[in-house]
Amino acid sequence: MDKANELAWWQQTIAYEVYPKSFLDTVGQGTGTIAGITQKLDYLQKLGVGALWITPCYKSPMVDNGYDVQDYYAIDPSFGTMDDMDELIARGREHGIRVVMDLVFNHTSDQCTWFQASKESRDSEYADWYVWRDAKPDGSAPTNWRSIFGGSAWEWCEERGQYYLHTFAKQQPDLNWECDEVRKALFDIANYWADKGVGGFRIDAITYIKKPPVFEDGPADGEDGLYPVHAATANTPGILDFLHEFKAAVRDGRDIFMVGEANGVAADELDKWVGTDGVFDMLFEFSHTHVPMGEAEIWCRPVTWELADLKRALVASQRATATNGWYPAFFENHDQPRSTVNFFRCEGPLADKAKVLGAVLLTTRGTPFLYQGEELGFGNATWKSIDEFDDVQTRAQYDFAKGEGLSDAEALAACVRFSRDNARTPLQWDASENAGFSTAMPWLPVHDDYATCNVAAQEADPGSPLVWYRTLASLRAARPELIAGDWQELLSDDENVFAFERTLEDARTVTLTNFSDKNVEYDESLVAGLSVLAGSQGDATPGALRPLEAVIFG
Ligand code: GLC
């Protein structure tokens, strides 16, 4: 027990991500509210949640659902008020749940007063707060970089007579971290929220904050003649100096954690980012989500993969954080399609698939990050036309796919499979109209299956994903080796099974998960002397796994 208690609170707990727009609407407007999150603190506590990451709820024009921040010191009225947020932070603490804020520091909204002043004139106090460049002699954009969401990463600004850089949508201009005042303003914001008593921060899109010294065209990789901005600017040398300054200004001396979103940092680079010499407590790296989606995350480009590839990625992340740093384990977030679809190559019930992933997530080494609906085994939504999607990226990916020569139907199929909106449909609380999410028409449709796939129904069903997740959360809390123990892969050559053991002193737990639709046998001696702690399909037999079955021995 001592060994687990030596770890920080955020290493011992379970984190849960809320997408507030889709969590619970308490005012009948079709979009969720902060009061809705407060109302469900008991629900979260029963899942063992101790850290609650809320995606941005600051004042925003909502072009990218809050990732375009207009005012970091105000709550968007659609979510409620600052009092609602203070109440959530305070009531959360009473439930043993600390709120984790999302800091969007690579860019702001184009409606932010800083940008408004910056674009007005080159003499403004804010003139250098964003990344401005002159046009090429022919008037075209300074470089051929493609924004993450598609199209040029540059937007012309008539007032200033210059282009500004936007790594994401054109309404999300990039901040210029080279400017001392920018960094100070951002650190002040983080300290304001830390002083309010939040438990930590998730730092958005952090790998893009440092731009290269010289801006150059790169080789086109698509029919649009553009070069990915990611390749041009991500992880530019010098970025860690900025982040060390950030840590010293905000993190040091506080009992909080910082988890960075760092697409493009490979597992073998992790020690510069986390741990003793690192800047963050944890880092979301995406090597395992790249397996089904492809590294470039261009949805229309087909990817082939096998379980072996997923296993390799998961094992590499474990190894990279085995002795230094800490791993934030996740399969889903608000940018990924649902994991029940994403990480399986076989057919089969979504509930079984959700339980397999839950077994991995809640018994692996690291802090599990659940995403709303994952504990219910949500699948992707049903989309029939591109007009049904709300997401700015989905619409851009559709256009990109068409530009690559795909037909309407093929471009739509890519969006249906990979769209971020798959993760953003309302949470389903019960079988009433709109799944108990809202009394008004929800901003995105609830799933067709809401009458059976909802919290109330699953609470009453001992075989449901929700009950399974609760069982695993209790198991994790009761067995120190699941928190503090070492992690070792088992059955590494098995094509269908992902398996590992956790060991701490004399205690040993073995997790076996069958990702296939076949019956699988394994050497029984692997679990000799252990008994079944939990089986996703009820009883379990040592040496055999049913299709899509997960068993934990200890
Ligand atoms: C991150 C967020 C994503 C957002 C983007 C721009 O990747 O997770 O939702 O669109 O940054 O802020």
Side-chain angles (χ1 to χ4, degrees):
M1 186 55 93
D2 290 336
K3 205 124 183 230
N5 284 339
E6 277 166 22
L7 295 172
W9 68 270
W10 48 267
Q11 293 173 298
Q12 300 182 47
T13 198
I14 294 171
Y16 185 98
E17 182 192 353
V18 163
Y19 199 68
K21 194 169 179 180
S22 296
F23 192 71
L24 179 64
D25 170 14
T26 47
V27 294
Q29 61 186 4
T31 59
T33 56
I34 291 168
I37 307 172
T38 309
Q39 198 171 307
K40 293 295 179 183
L41 286 167
D42 286 341
Y43 172 75
L44 297 166
Q45 193 175 4
K46 275 194 203 145
L47 261 179
V49 172
L52 190 65
W53 158 24
I54 303 174
T55 60
C57 43
Y58 317 99
K59 184 159 190 241
S60 163
M62 300 287 165
V63 169
D64 189 16
N65 284 336
Y67 283 95
D68 45 328
V69 181
Q70 185 171 353
D71 182 354
Y72 297 85
Y73 292 100
I75 296 297
D76 194 80
S78 67
F79 292 126
T81 63
M82 190 60 89
D83 284 348
D84 293 338
M85 181 49 94
D86 291 340
E87 167 90 357
L88 172 59
I89 294 170
R91 295 275 311 283
R93 289 239 167 201
E94 289 163 22
H95 284 75
I97 296 175
R98 300 187 215 197
V99 169
V100 174
M101 295 299 279
D102 205 321
L103 296 179
V104 189
F105 280 179
N106 176 67
H107 46 267
T108 67
S109 158
D110 61 352
Q111 302 305 308
C112 177
T113 52
W114 304 344
F115 185 73
Q116 293 292 318
S118 190
K119 74 172 193 181
E120 220 163 75
S121 102
R122 300 187 195 195
D123 302 321
S124 146
E125 194 192 327
Y126 293 91
D128 291 336
W129 281 47
Y130 293 83
V131 184
W132 295 100
R133 288 290 186 279
D134 292 333
K136 280 184 178 164
D138 67 358
S140 63
T143 64
N144 69 340
W145 299 345
R146 180 193 305 116
S147 77
I148 306 259
F149 291 163
S152 172
W154 295 98
E155 184 70 10
W156 175 252
C157 173
E158 202 58 53
E159 279 146 288
R160 222 174 117 140
Q162 279 186 310
Y163 281 92
Y164 66 85
L165 181 70
H166 57 92
T167 298
F168 296 89
K170 66 174 184 224
Q171 298 89 343
Q172 294 168 300
D174 279 40
L175 284 160
N176 176 18
W177 274 64
E178 303 296 335
C179 173
D180 296 344
E181 289 80 24
V182 167
R183 298 198 306 283
K184 178 166 186 320
L186 296 176
F187 303 161
D188 285 350
I189 290 162
N191 278 315
Y192 167 81
W193 285 100
D195 289 344
K196 274 189 180 286
V198 301
F201 297 111
R202 179 261 188 186
I203 330 279
D204 185 63
I206 200 65
T207 39
Y208 301 107
I209 59 170
K210 176 90 183 174
K211 314 300 181 208
V214 182
F215 286 15
E216 293 171 319
D217 282 355
D221 75 344
E223 295 298 319
D224 58 4
L226 300 179
Y227 176 68
V229 68
H230 179 85
T233 68
N235 297 330
T236 296
I239 187 171
L240 290 165
D241 297 337
F242 283 159
L243 293 174
H244 277 291
E245 198 184 319
F246 185 3
K247 181 181 175 210
V250 178
R251 166 75 176 83
D252 288 350
R254 293 190 193 264
D255 185 20
I256 60 172
F257 73 84
M258 299 215 298
V259 55
E261 185 206 25
N263 209 344
V265 174
D268 60 2
E269 295 171 305
L270 270 180
D271 55 350
K272 292 194 220 94
W273 290 81
V274 293
T276 329
D277 300 324
V279 285
F280 291 124
D281 299 290
M282 298 178 271
L283 202 73
F284 288 122
E285 45 96 8
F286 292 82
S287 46
H288 62 304
T289 63
H290 289 155
V291 170
M293 293 185 79
E295 195 143 349
E297 291 178 16
I298 292 181
W299 302 347
C300 62
R301 297 209 171 134
V303 174
T304 50
W305 65 281
E306 291 173 1
L307 182 65
D309 303 311
L310 181 61
K311 285 169 59 158
R312 209 173 300 118
L314 293 171
V315 171
S317 304
Q318 282 297 334
R319 291 209 177 122
T321 48
T323 52
N324 189 38
W326 194 251
Y327 180 59
F330 77 98
F331 286 119
E332 289 194 11
N333 65 33
H334 64 285
D335 295 329
Q336 307 292 325
R338 288 294 182 177
S339 57
T340 48
V341 178
N342 216 15
F343 293 107
F344 292 88
R345 295 173 61 242
C346 65
E347 299 296 317
L350 295 182
D352 289 351
K353 292 178 176 177
K355 289 185 190 176
V356 163
L357 293 171
V360 175
L361 205 54
L362 289 162
T363 64
T364 202
R365 185 171 181 277
T367 300
F369 277 74
L370 307 182
Y371 176 71
Q372 66 183 48
E374 189 173 4
E375 73 277 22
L376 304 174
F378 271 24
N380 280 350
T382 315
W383 311 100
K384 292 183 193 71
S385 118
I386 188 66
D387 300 331
E388 291 174 354
F389 293 96
D390 170 88
D391 174 31
V392 59
Q393 184 183 24
T394 304
R395 283 182 267 117
Q397 289 267 0
Y398 181 79
D399 291 343
F400 180 83
K402 297 280 297 290
E404 293 283 289
L406 271 71
S407 68
D408 289 3
E410 288 164 339
L412 179 63
C415 295
V416 167
R417 167 69 178 82
F418 290 114
S419 171
R420 310 194 296 180
D421 277 347
N422 282 309
R424 299 177 179 184
T425 64
L427 201 52
Q428 293 162 194
W429 294 102
D430 57 40
S432 67
E433 199 178 4
N434 303 327
F437 162 71
S438 173
T439 52
M441 173 75 95
W443 72 284
L444 279 181
V446 297
H447 282 224
D448 302 342
D449 64 357
Y450 78 93
T452 47
C453 180
N454 63 61
V455 170
Q458 293 204 11
E459 278 184 328
D461 173 5
S464 69
L466 178 58
V467 170
W468 175 246
Y469 271 78
R470 285 181 178 168
T471 304
L472 294 172
S474 308
L475 199 63
R476 194 172 182 278
R479 297 187 70 100
E481 75 272 21
L482 290 181
I483 293 171
D486 291 341
W487 187 99
Q488 180 64 45
E489 190 187 17
L490 303 171
L491 304 174
S492 58
D493 293 334
D494 197 296
E495 289 169 7
N496 301 310
V497 177
F498 182 49
F500 53 86
E501 67 180 1
R502 304 293 311 278
T503 48
L504 183 68
E505 291 151 12
D506 295 341
R508 177 166 176 258
T509 300
V510 172
T511 300
L512 293 146
T513 54
N514 182 0
F515 276 70
S516 80
D517 55 2
K518 303 181 183 69
N519 285 301
V520 172
E521 290 184 358
Y522 62 91
D523 189 345
E524 218 178 299
S525 65
L526 206 62
V527 293
L530 304 181
S531 39
V532 176
L533 297 177
S536 69
Q537 298 180 21
D539 62 328
T541 318
L545 286 168
R546 302 179 185 107
L548 296 171
E549 183 177 31
V551 186
I552 296 149
F553 290 89

